[in-house]
Amino acid sequence: RFLIKGGLAGAAVYVAYDQGLLGSGTEGAEALKKAQETLPPAIQEWTNYLGWEVRAAQLPATPKFDFSVSDSWNRGVHTVMAALSVAPTRACEYTVEGWKYVKDLLK
């Protein structure tokens, strides 16, 4: 079981890397655009293969994403770096507050 699960996980990572999902933001955006173009015809093909009758009007519209993956990534990196740059100062402040609290408890 472990080998099967590991093999499936490895295959999933390989496919994600191969499709450009683990690359830069522009590669991820291109992969998303490619998936949006490919999925509706693939779903229609599978429903025809399985014998299900699905009309185009019954399929929901493809959701529109209006955000930049690279901008979101950069915003996250800036937030993490800002938190890390303030961390030593905050750690000292919290240590001083902790010592004051312990001293007040021991009085």
Side-chain angles (χ1 to χ4, degrees), residues 43-66:
I43 291 172
Q44 186 65 39
E45 182 180 335
W46 273 98
T47 55
N48 292 341
Y49 178 75
L50 296 173
W52 297 340
E53 183 178 336
V54 178
R55 295 185 188 108
Q58 291 177 340
L59 292 175
T62 306
K64 302 293 181 201
F65 294 106
D66 190 25

Side-chain angles (χ1 to χ4, degrees), residues 60-85:
T62 306
K64 302 293 181 201
F65 294 106
D66 190 25
F67 71 94
S68 172
V69 176
S70 61
D71 289 341
S72 299
W73 174 263
N74 291 339
R75 200 171 321 122
V77 169
H78 285 288
T79 303
V80 168
M81 290 302 144
L84 288 175
S85 68

